[in-house]
């Protein structure tokens, strides 16, 4: 899967809270460390990407957060302003404020308009080759298809007009598997795994975007080899526990309880990972990112995850 | 566990008629909503309805939630008996169906059959109802209103959709109401030709025409003209639904784990609820480390265990009682002791967040991570036991 970072546009999606922003930041960090001019864009305006790179806020205007790496936050109003200026050539910049709010309202109601403003900006950066790689911290799995499929939806819904005219070149970028890929992040739990499998199916059957990889995040470490597991189970029995309690104190039972709990969660996770691998098409690789046990946050976490990715993405 | 000396979650559920369960996705909202319902039906009695949004498939199957939208079905008493619990009341479950919810609204508010069919057949209708004014959230609140008003249930517990923003849920009825009063809707629904002469809206239309094309804009306008015929009904309803959220008989339960992002969201939600005078009844801290593991004495035991692992004589004796090879016993002890550091890191993180969240609501209930997922009634009742006590109180 060395070709993941050779693409020009990666969308990172997944169920809420599974680690989309973390993974998107880590992919971008890894690419930048390999010398690629990289742009990472947060779509959901939650501000999480800013804390990944320990800056106060991100704006529409990209900010260089480390060598070769720029970060921005999507904003449909700014995107509309840029579109009007660059493409439609309407010099309305001064009056756009209230106008954009009104426009926002229509865009909210009219299917695909907001999405196309966002996706249009992203595709524009790719087309103009301002960067070697654009990593998008995209919408969660429930909304991602509407987002990446917006140009096609618009093309079908709108018969004629300037919006429709814009969709063709976007589609040629989005549908090109050499250039564009979707990365789905999941955790090894029931709902995220089920959603991932469904999403991959839906993306493959209804959109032209290629599913590049699935990242299973927060995989718990395996405490024991299978043979050790049997020894552990025997050590949990009353006689050895009594001996241990004598040597260590009564709290030793809590230490073993923690190990048992972690092992059973890990065993469940292993089943879900097996199900994931079985259910995905063979050409979609699954990479694992371990659970990090650290007090750190921000850049430190990003680089720890990027280190893990480096071993997965030679 | 809810401390029984104080006001507890059981007291809250006995006193209220509507419970809105909210919080970040994946924290256990659906599970907690169902578990509260199951325990409330079993021990407090009465007719309890849980309206779920997105149950995990196995849980849905176990509760008998098929593909059927919006209709409630009862979990049979025998299911409780099989789980080893006697059910004093009745547990009903239903699944939220947004599409059916919208169609119902249109049927209710359309002034006549022709308009109704026109709206339902409009190509923009599905698309628009799927996204505007936080459609899922509004329909969830609307259903809560309906179910409560039906008078069929003593307690309605509603699970909420995974929103992009926690406030969407609270704001949904207000937004729906405002939508009809908005200037934009007025502009959009002015006949197309005279619109071009309205000075105020002129720049908007110039831009919108250039960007969207006048044809598309006209399609949108036509839809809203249809929609506007239902204004009175919609506005009245939205106002009633909104009132429900501050009603004395309603309470909010916020579910969170002790991880950074959900905890931040939970605190934010708690603050916003207070600001809006919507009653936060309880905070449920779910999927936490079992209480015993957080104590410093346990961490010390892990350190001591590491020393025992280095003591050859002690390891030999243990190996004998556990009929294993000493080398293996040593490796296992080392692993158990070393890995406990991971647990300590998590415990430290959790303690901090817990302190921040514990004071947010009158009741705080703490539920440990269970050894397996919750996908049947027995699992729900077990989890509900942590929430409400197991009935022998
Ligand atoms: N491998 C990991 N080990 C430990 N913690 C992790 C790991 N990956 C992510 N996290 C933590 O999980 C939390 C959620 O991560 P993140 O913000 O990346 O998720 P997200 O999918 O972008 O969430 P949202 O849906 O809200 O946008 C963060 O606190 C993050 O630090
Ligand atoms: N206390 C708990 N211990 C173990 N697993 C839990 C616990 N609470 C919830 N779960 C599991 O976590 C997953 C997500 O729960 P769910 O209720 O669907 O979350 P939400 O509705 O907030 O998205 C489910 O697989 C559920 O079985
Ligand atoms: Mg995020
Ligand atoms: Mg849910």
């Amino acid at each position: 899967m060395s070709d993941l970072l050779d693409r020009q546009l990666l969308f990172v999606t997944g169920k809420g809270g599974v680690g989309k922003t973390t993974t998107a930041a880590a992919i971008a960090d890894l690419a930048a460390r390999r010398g690629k001019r990289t742009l990472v864009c947060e779509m959901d305006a939650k501000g999480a990407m800013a804390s990944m790179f320990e800056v106060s806020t991100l704006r529409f205007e990209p900010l260089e957060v480390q060598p070769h790496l720029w970060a921005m936050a999507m904003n449909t109003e700014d995107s509309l302003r840029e579109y009007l200026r660059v493409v439609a050539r309407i010099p309305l910049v001064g009056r756009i404020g209230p106008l954009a709010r009104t426009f926002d309202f229509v865009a909210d109601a009219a299917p695909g308009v907001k999405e196309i403003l966002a996706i249009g900006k992203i595709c524009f950066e790719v087309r103009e080759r301002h960067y070697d790689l654009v990593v998008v911290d995209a919408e969660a799995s429930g909304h991602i298809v509407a987002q990446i499929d917006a140009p096609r939806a618009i093309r079908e819904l709108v018969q004629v007009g300037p919006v429709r005219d814009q969709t063709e070149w976007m589609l040629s970028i989005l549908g090109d598997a050499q250039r564009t890929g979707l990365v789905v992040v999941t955790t090894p739990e029931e709902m995220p795994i089920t959603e991932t499998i469904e999403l991959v199916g839906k993306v493959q059957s209804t959109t032209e975007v290629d599913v590049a990889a699935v990242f299973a995040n927060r995989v718990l470490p395996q405490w024991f080899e299978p043979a050790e597991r049997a020894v552990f189970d025997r050590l949990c029995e009353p006689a050895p526990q009594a001996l241990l309690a004598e040597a260590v104190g009564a709290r030793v039972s809590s230490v073993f309880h923690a190990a048992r709990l972690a092992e059973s969660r890990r065993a469940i996770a292993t089943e879900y990972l097996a199900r994931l691998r079985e259910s995905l098409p063979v050409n979609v690789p699954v990479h694992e990112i371990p659970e990090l046990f650290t007090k750190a946050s921000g850049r430190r976490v990003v680089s720890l995850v990027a280190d893990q990715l480096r071993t997965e993405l030679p | 566990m809810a401390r029984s000396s104080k006001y507890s979650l059981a007291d809250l559920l006995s006193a209220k008629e509507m419970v809105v369960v909210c919080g970040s996705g994946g924290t256990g909202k659906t599970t907690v909503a169902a578990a509260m319902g199951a325990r409330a039906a079993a021990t407090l009695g009465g007719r309890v309805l849980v309206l779920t949004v997105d149950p995990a498939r196995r849980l849905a199957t176990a509760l008998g939630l098929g593909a059927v939208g919006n209709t409630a079905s009862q979990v049979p008493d025998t299911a409780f008996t099989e789980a080893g619990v006697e059910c004093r009341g009745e547990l009903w479950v239903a699944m939220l169906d947004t599409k059916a919810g919208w169609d119902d609204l249109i049927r209710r508010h359309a002034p006549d059959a022709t308009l109704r069919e026109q709206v339902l057949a409009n190509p923009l209708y599905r698309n628009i109802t799927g996204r505007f004014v936080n459609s899922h959230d509004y329909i969830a609140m609307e259903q809560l209103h309906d179910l409560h008003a039906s008078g069929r249930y003593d307690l309605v517990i509603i699970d909420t959709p995974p929103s992009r923003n926690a406030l969407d849920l609270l704001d949904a009825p207000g937004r729906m109401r405002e939508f009809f009063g908005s200037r934009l809707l007025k502009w959009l629904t002015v006949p197309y030709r005279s619109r071009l002469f309205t000075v105020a809206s002129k720049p908007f239309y110039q831009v919108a025409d250039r960007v969207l094309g006048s044809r598309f804009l006209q399609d949108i306008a036509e839809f809203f003209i249809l929609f506007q015929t239902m204004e009175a009904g919609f506005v009245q309803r939205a106002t009633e639904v909104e009132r429900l959220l501050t009603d004395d008989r309603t309470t909010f339960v916020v579910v969170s784990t002790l991880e950074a992002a959900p905890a931040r969201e939970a605190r934010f939600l708690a603050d916003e609820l207070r600001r809006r005078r919507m009653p936060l009844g309880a905070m449920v801290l779910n999927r936490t480390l079992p209480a015993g593991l957080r104590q410093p004495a346990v961490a010390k035991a892990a350190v001591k265990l590491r020393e025992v692992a280095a003591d050859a004589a002690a390891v030999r004796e243990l190996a004998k009682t556990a009929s294993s090879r000493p080398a293996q016993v040593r490796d296992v002890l080392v692993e158990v002791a070393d890995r406990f550091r991971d647990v300590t890191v998590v415990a430290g993180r959790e303690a901090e967040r817990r302190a921040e969240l514990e004071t947010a609501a009158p009741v705080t209930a703490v539920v440990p991570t269970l050894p397996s997922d919750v996908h049947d009634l027995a699992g729900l009742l077990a989890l509900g036991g942590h929430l409400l006590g197991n009935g022998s109180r």
Side-chain angles (χ1 to χ4, degrees), chain A:
Chain A
M1 259 329 284
S2 58
D3 80 330
L4 186 73
L5 296 185
D6 293 334
R7 302 195 199 208
Q8 291 160 27
L9 174 57
L10 292 173
F11 291 96
V12 181
T13 184
K15 193 170 162 60
V18 294
K20 294 180 290 297
T21 306
T22 310
T23 306
I27 292 174
D29 177 74
L30 184 60
R33 282 203 257 158
R34 289 185 178 173
K36 289 182 192 293
R37 282 174 59 86
T38 306
L39 173 69
V40 62
C41 174
E42 179 177 62
M43 294 296 235
D44 66 7
K46 279 192 184 167
M49 190 59 81
S51 40
M52 293 289 159
F53 294 106
E54 299 173 20
V55 295
S56 59
T57 46
L58 289 174
R59 295 176 208 290
F60 190 70
E61 194 57 44
L63 175 73
E64 188 168 7
V65 290
Q66 68 191 51
H68 292 114
L69 180 53
W70 285 261
M72 66 171 281
M74 182 54 68
N75 172 324
T76 25
E77 181 179 330
D78 286 323
S79 178
L80 174 62
R81 182 183 287 135
E82 187 175 279
Y83 174 85
L84 293 177
R85 186 167 46 79
V86 178
V87 183
R89 300 187 193 288
I90 302 179
L92 255 176
V93 186
R95 281 191 290 171
I96 184 101
L99 201 68
R101 263 196 299 287
T102 327
F103 191 85
D104 232 33
F105 211 107
V106 181
D108 249 347
V113 171
K114 266 207 152 133
E115 285 85 354
I116 204 152
L117 280 171
I119 214 88
K121 164 69 179 172
I122 297 293
C123 289
F124 179 70
E125 293 299 326
V126 174
R127 187 184 71 179
E128 300 299 307
R129 293 196 150 273
H130 291 149
Y131 302 91
D132 298 320
L133 173 64
V134 178
V135 182
V136 184
D137 176 16
E139 291 280 0
S141 33
H143 304 281
I144 185 69
V145 170
Q147 189 170 66
I148 56 177
D149 207 33
R152 218 175 51 120
I154 289 276
R155 197 182 51 182
E156 272 162 27
L157 205 66
V158 187
Q159 301 312 316
V160 287
V163 175
R164 186 193 164 96
D165 300 342
Q166 292 295 322
T167 57
E168 294 300 329
W169 65 270
M170 291 185 201
L171 285 167
S172 73
I173 290 176
L174 294 171
D176 179 356
Q178 298 286 322
R179 288 206 271 181
T180 302
L182 180 72
V183 169
V184 187
V185 183
T186 183
T187 51
E189 298 177 287
E190 181 178 12
M191 300 272 277
I193 293 285
T194 305
E195 241 176 63
T196 299
I197 295 166
E198 282 171 4
L199 177 67
V200 170
K202 188 167 171 203
V203 168
Q204 290 191 328
S205 63
T206 64
T207 81
E208 286 167 21
V209 178
D210 182 56
V211 180
V214 170
F215 285 90
N217 187 25
R218 312 197 69 165
V219 177
L220 287 173
Q222 191 157 3
W223 287 40
F224 309 115
E225 303 290 316
E228 289 177 343
R229 173 70 217 221
V231 175
F232 172 75
D233 286 342
R234 287 200 289 278
L235 283 171
C236 287
E237 280 164 19
Q241 282 293 308
L243 269 181
L244 280 164
E246 235 170 76
V248 178
R251 303 291 192 177
V252 76
S253 66
S254 296
V255 178
F256 272 75
H257 179 59
R260 253 196 324 273
L261 190 63
E263 261 301 293
S264 59
R265 295 304 321 183
R266 157 83 203 186
I268 294 169
T270 306
E271 279 170 33
Y272 287 131
L273 284 175
R275 204 182 118 215
L276 176 69
R277 290 202 160 90
E278 259 162 43
S279 315
L280 288 178
V282 282
N283 61 347
V284 177
V286 177
H287 303 294
E288 292 185 16
I289 305 172
E291 172 80 33
L292 299 174
F293 293 98
T294 167
K295 285 180 196 159
S297 59
R299 285 179 193 266
R300 175 94 188 104
V301 166
V302 172
S303 76
L304 283 172
V305 174
D307 288 343
Q308 293 295 333
L309 292 184
R310 192 166 45 189
T311 63
E312 295 271 329
L313 306 172

Side-chain angles (χ1 to χ4, degrees), chain A residues 15 189-192 265 272, chain B residues 23-33 54-56 59 159-160 162 255 286-288 367-375 383:
Chain A
K15 193 170 162 60
E189 298 177 287
E190 181 178 12
M191 300 272 277
R265 295 304 321 183
Y272 287 131
Chain B
S24 293
T27 53
K29 282 193 299 283
T30 304
T31 316
V32 165
D54 56 349
L59 181 63
D159 171 28
T160 53
V255 182
N286 190 25
R287 308 181 77 168
T288 61
V367 183
T369 298
L370 303 175
S372 77
D373 288 348
V374 180
H375 31 57
L383 197 146

